[in-house]
Amino acid sequence: MMLHASQFCSKAETFAAGLTDGRERDEFRLKLSQARNTLERLQRTYNEKNLNLRDKVTAAEFRQLIVALLWACFYVRHHIDFRTFRMIVNVEAAFTYLLLNSAP
């Protein structure tokens, strides 16, 4: 799922060229950067074999990632294609499922 989230970030960035409002473009870039930074931290945790969804910090990182991805999707809503939108819906659903089923 982290790979799909990363792919969404790359695709969303291509849609950002259609953003004409400077403020909305800046907010989109902020949310996309937040998502990518969160993905990087989660990937580092995974590589260190410490990825545990029962850990409160890791669960918070996943929640932050979901919110940042959804905001990025919102900002490119007029330019995004259906396939990419479905990708973000699937990523959000999978992460939410994992978080709910790993809750103590």
Side-chain angles (χ1 to χ4, degrees):
M1 281 293 106
M2 290 194 306
L3 173 62
H4 288 285
S6 179
Q7 289 173 341
F8 170 80
C9 289
S10 296
K11 287 184 178 186
E13 192 167 29
T14 62
F15 296 121
L19 294 175
T20 56
D21 181 20
R23 179 177 178 211
E24 200 163 280
R25 186 177 50 247
D26 292 343
E27 290 175 6
F28 165 77
R29 288 183 177 150
L30 171 67
K31 293 302 175 186
L32 192 64
S33 294
Q34 288 174 345
R36 285 187 167 152
N37 288 336
T38 304
L39 273 169
E40 183 180 326
R41 286 192 303 271
L42 287 169
Q43 186 65 47
R44 195 173 329 119
T45 303
Y46 174 78
N47 291 343
E48 295 169 355
K49 309 239 186 281
N50 292 329
L51 191 65
N52 180 4
L53 289 177
R54 291 183 188 254
D55 177 48
K56 290 181 181 183
V57 173
T58 304
E61 292 277 350
F62 271 105
R63 287 192 301 274
Q64 181 180 357
L65 174 62
I66 291 168
V67 170
L69 290 172
L70 290 174
W71 271 112
C73 185
F74 172 78
Y75 286 118
V76 293
R77 66 193 175 277
H78 297 296
H79 309 286
I80 198 167
D81 61 4
F82 182 75
R83 185 176 184 169
T84 306
F85 178 74
R86 288 286 300 160
M87 179 188 294
I88 195 62
V89 168
N90 287 333
V91 167
E92 186 274 334
F95 282 145
T96 301
Y97 176 82
L98 290 172
L99 287 172
L100 289 174
N101 286 322
S102 65

